Amino acid sequence: MVEPVRDPDPAVVAANLARIRDEVGPDVEILVAGKYVPAEGLGALAEAGVTLIGENRLQDLEAKRERWGDTFTWDFIGALQSRKVDDLIGQVRLIHSVASDSALRRLERFSDTGAEVLIQVDVAGEASKSGFSAGELSDVLDRCPVRVGGLMTMPPAVADPEASRPHFARLRELAEAHGLARLSMGTSQDYRVAAEEGATIIRLGSALFASRE
Ligand SMILES: *Cc1c(COP(=O)(O)O)cnc(C)c1O
């Protein structure tokens, strides 16, 4: 986890964004993980050309949306907790992180809302990670009360981004097998590999704020 960035430098973010855009090509959405930046700092991100923010916590999402509204598209990338779903639905374009049976149950009342979610799959098969196993996916897709637009994964932290490649390839195969269009995969450590393996959304934090001197 990097330090919070109170006051991001728009020039640094814009330069990083341009380089990353160049690396991943025009078709991959670049989502910026908002957890590093307080509400006041988001103006610098807008200035740098960021358009899509993902928040992990409902209270951060609400505070930032209140301040910045339609300046950004908002997604949710955190754990779906009870009660919060009510407030979340309608505020975000996409929930990336439906990772448990309890999350599926919490979505039950929202089948008529047009809400769209991604199912989080633990393709690395790590007991400690959140997400459904690949083997559970068909059943989860049958049971999910709201529209499933695609899949998301969060592979283990690795020193070598190539270590994530098989997990991303597996997620793409699963999405293709089920006719799902969106693939949210790749973070600062491995977004290039994720893009090569077909990511449609990469989720970046640290890579965007680091200055390269
Ligand atoms: C913070 C976060 C990211 C981005 O992480 P970085 O390593 O800083 O790029 C991506 N996905 C989720 C779910 C996150 O919480």
Side-chain angles (χ1 to χ4, degrees):
M1 178 98 180
V2 300
E3 291 296 303
V5 188
R6 299 238 138 254
D7 205 7
D9 179 344
V12 168
V13 176
N16 286 329
L17 200 57
R19 176 178 45 83
I20 293 164
R21 172 56 70 207
D22 211 49
E23 289 166 339
V24 302
D27 299 329
V28 179
E29 288 188 288
I30 300 174
L31 174 149
V32 175
K35 62 176 180 271
Y36 301 115
V37 187
E40 320 81 84
L42 291 189
L45 299 193
E47 202 182 312
V50 171
T51 57
L52 174 60
I53 305 276
E55 289 294 335
N56 297 71
R57 290 151 44 107
L58 176 65
Q59 80 211 74
D60 293 342
L61 174 75
E62 288 181 327
K64 290 175 180 177
R65 266 194 88 224
E66 196 167 311
R67 171 124 182 209
W68 296 102
D70 294 339
T71 304
F72 301 102
T73 298
W74 305 93
D75 282 1
F76 190 74
I77 61 174
L80 273 195
Q81 289 168 358
S82 49
R83 298 179 291 117
K84 296 189 174 173
V85 181
D86 269 332
D87 296 319
L88 194 58
I89 301 272
Q91 296 211 55
V92 293
R93 173 188 71 150
L94 197 60
I95 296 171
H96 287 234
S97 38
V98 174
S100 65
D101 284 325
S102 58
L104 288 178
R105 277 196 301 279
R106 281 166 199 148
L107 290 168
E108 260 159 31
R109 290 185 297 114
F110 303 97
S111 53
D112 297 333
T113 57
E116 181 181 350
V117 301
L118 308 181
I119 301 296
Q120 184 169 350
V121 183
D122 172 17
V123 272
E126 282 193 304
S128 61
K129 281 275 169 179
S130 55
F132 295 99
S133 71
E136 288 174 294
L137 185 59
S138 295
D139 180 53
V140 169
L141 293 174
D142 286 343
R143 288 189 291 130
C144 186
V146 300
R147 182 158 59 101
V148 177
L151 304 179
M152 180 270 215
T153 198
M154 187 91 193
V158 286
D160 177 6
E162 286 299 326
S164 300
R165 190 181 294 279
H167 305 312
F168 294 149
R170 179 82 179 110
L171 197 72
R172 186 197 57 226
E173 285 164 17
L174 288 169
E176 279 169 2
H178 293 283
L180 298 168
R182 295 190 197 269
L183 274 176
S184 170
M185 59 189 197
T187 66
S188 296
Q189 66 173 5
D190 51 19
Y191 66 85
R192 291 182 201 82
V193 172
E196 285 166 12
E197 294 300 330
T200 67
I201 310 175
I202 55 175
R203 307 182 311 271
L204 300 183
S206 30
L208 223 46
F209 303 113
S211 80
R212 329 199 114 213
E213 283 141 69

